[in-house]
Amino acid sequence: MSGFPAALPDSRVPDSQDAPVLNWGIAGPGWIAERFVESVKAHSAQNITAVGSRSASRAADFADKHSIPAGHGSYKELAQDPNVDIVYVATPHPQHFDTAMTAIEAGKHVLVEKPMGITGEQVRIMAEAARARNVFAAEALWTFFLPKFDVVTQLLEDGTLGDIVSVFAEYGEHFEAGHRIFDPALAGGPLMDLGTYPLAFATRVLGAAESVAAIGTPHPSGVNGQLSMALGFADGAQGIVNTNLYNFTPTEAVIVGTEATLRIDGPFNMPGGFTLRHKDGRELRFDEDPGAHFEGLHFEAAAVARSIAAGLTEAPQRPLEDTLRTLELADEIRRQTGMEFPDTTTRKQTP
């Protein structure tokens, strides 16, 4: 077990501009797709060659706005485009499964926006299909690709915090009426949109939860409005997670160890700083300018390009086993709180 360091380790994340270049197709020309394209174009050398939508006019408008060579009026056409190496799936949550499977079946690599699926079963099916075709598949949970998280990972791997006994993570945000998060048909509520981050963080640090106790608060729109979860782990460690769609919270994350505590500034899932505090009061500070999607999404694109160039079919920063662990935990939380999502497990051909 390592002692308290004199200085924090340096991030090992290379410059995104230096990553091997892939030809990217964008599935779903919505808000997150715009942020992804903007970030990738500004901070990396990745080549965005096509966009696909179920609406040909939306695809054409998006392609024109972002100077993308091709627009396709279906996800199948996008997946069959010979100038596309990898499909970034940015459709609404319930469409992730079909859209990703369409790309995988066409022999394309996929990077699927979080949550990768809305059930653990969907993730298992996608993972098996990708392995069978020897194509890359990963969840685009961008937090784990950020330089600051690589520093956190090194501290955990070095044992700097000692034995981890608890993790606290939360994420709340305000949404205006009419946002898709209030739509039950789109797997609305905070669990998939916001809760993915703290749940994924807790299980990344502590592993698979052995037990979970979840309580939820219904929202008038018909979705869940707030969730609180207590997680138990085999070694006695505990995790406390909260997520809500009523208003903004600090969105911090804390890892408590027997030797030191690590507190990540809010919003913990975005670029920013953290403080490592030893039990004797000594502190080390990781400082970087706070950022959002524009400053951070390019890291996942560059990391995926490096993985594929190295012959990998998964991202070391977010292995499919980790994604499955998070979604299976979300399945149990939904079971305990009575949340129902649209039935999209049955495979339907994506248009």
Side-chain angles (χ1 to χ4, degrees):
M1 183 176 293
S2 173
F4 196 74
L8 293 173
D10 293 327
S11 171
R12 300 165 297 187
V13 176
D15 189 331
S16 293
Q17 291 283 0
D18 298 334
V21 177
L22 292 177
N23 292 328
W24 292 76
I26 309 297
W31 183 88
I32 191 62
E34 284 206 292
R35 305 291 83 74
F36 181 84
V37 169
E38 291 167 352
S39 182
V40 166
K41 280 179 170 285
H43 298 290
S44 81
Q46 299 304 303
N47 188 27
I48 300 174
T49 57
V51 58
S53 172
R54 292 190 294 185
S55 164
S57 62
R58 284 196 69 204
D61 290 345
F62 191 94
D64 183 62
K65 179 178 180 180
H66 296 284
S67 301
I68 298 172
H72 297 289
S74 76
Y75 302 130
K76 185 175 182 179
E77 287 180 17
L78 175 68
Q80 293 175 342
D81 188 330
N83 295 316
V84 169
D85 300 319
I86 181 169
V87 174
Y88 169 66
V89 178
T91 55
H93 300 337
Q95 297 173 21
H96 285 184
F97 176 63
D98 264 4
T99 309
M101 287 294 291
T102 297
I104 291 168
E105 289 169 355
K108 305 297 188 187
H109 307 297
V110 292
L111 177 63
V112 187
E113 252 311 321
K114 62 85 189 165
M116 191 170 184
I118 60 172
T119 66
E121 183 178 1
Q122 288 185 348
V123 174
R124 280 193 297 274
I125 293 170
M126 283 187 275
E128 290 169 2
R131 288 166 185 151
R133 290 164 178 79
N134 196 35
V135 297
F136 179 94
E139 181 183 39
L141 211 163
W142 63 301
T143 302
F144 298 131
F145 296 86
L146 298 174
K148 77 170 184 185
F149 199 81
D150 179 69
V151 179
V152 172
T153 297
Q154 292 181 67
L155 293 171
L156 293 171
E157 290 175 346
D158 290 345
T160 302
L161 278 71
D163 296 328
I164 307 302
V165 295
S166 53
V167 171
F168 304 90
E170 50 81 23
Y171 190 174
E173 193 171 323
H174 169 74
F175 296 90
E176 295 294 335
H179 191 279
R180 61 174 172 77
I181 203 168
F182 298 110
D183 188 347
L186 295 179
L191 179 60
M192 296 286 102
D193 270 278
L194 310 180
T196 302
Y197 289 108
L199 284 176
F201 182 82
T203 53
R204 175 64 178 269
V205 174
L206 294 172
E210 193 173 67
S211 62
V212 56
I215 56 172
T217 302
H219 187 273
S221 65
V223 302
N224 169 267
Q226 177 171 231
L227 288 164
S228 291
M229 289 78 73
L231 310 176
F233 297 84
D235 59 359
Q238 298 179 8
I240 301 296
V241 172
N242 174 270
T243 184
N244 84 83
L245 52 67
Y246 294 105
N247 217 326
F248 294 98
T249 66
T251 310
E252 295 179 341
V254 180
I255 306 172
V256 181
T258 54
E259 295 297 315
T261 294
L262 191 148
R263 182 171 183 169
I264 305 178
D265 301 351
F268 78 88
N269 58 313
M270 298 184 181
F274 66 79
T275 300
L276 178 69
R277 180 181 175 88
H278 191 259
K279 61 186 180 184
D280 66 10
R282 284 178 291 165
E283 289 189 353
L284 290 173
R285 178 71 186 167
F286 177 86
D287 277 313
E288 69 176 4
D289 292 335
H293 299 83
F294 181 80
E295 291 81 13
L297 288 177
H298 61 94
F299 289 112
E300 64 183 4
V304 166
R306 290 190 193 95
S307 293
I308 291 173
L312 302 179
T313 55
E314 296 188 27
Q317 299 86 347
R318 184 61 173 165
L320 291 173
E321 181 182 358
D322 286 10
T323 297
L324 181 59
R325 181 183 299 149
T326 303
L327 268 295
E328 287 180 336
L329 179 56
D331 287 344
E332 175 60 18
I333 291 165
R334 289 195 299 115
R335 187 192 69 79
Q336 290 189 19
T337 55
M339 277 187 280
E340 294 185 0
F341 281 173
D343 182 9
T344 57
T345 301
T346 302
R347 178 81 169 98
K348 299 177 182 177
Q349 185 63 38
T350 301

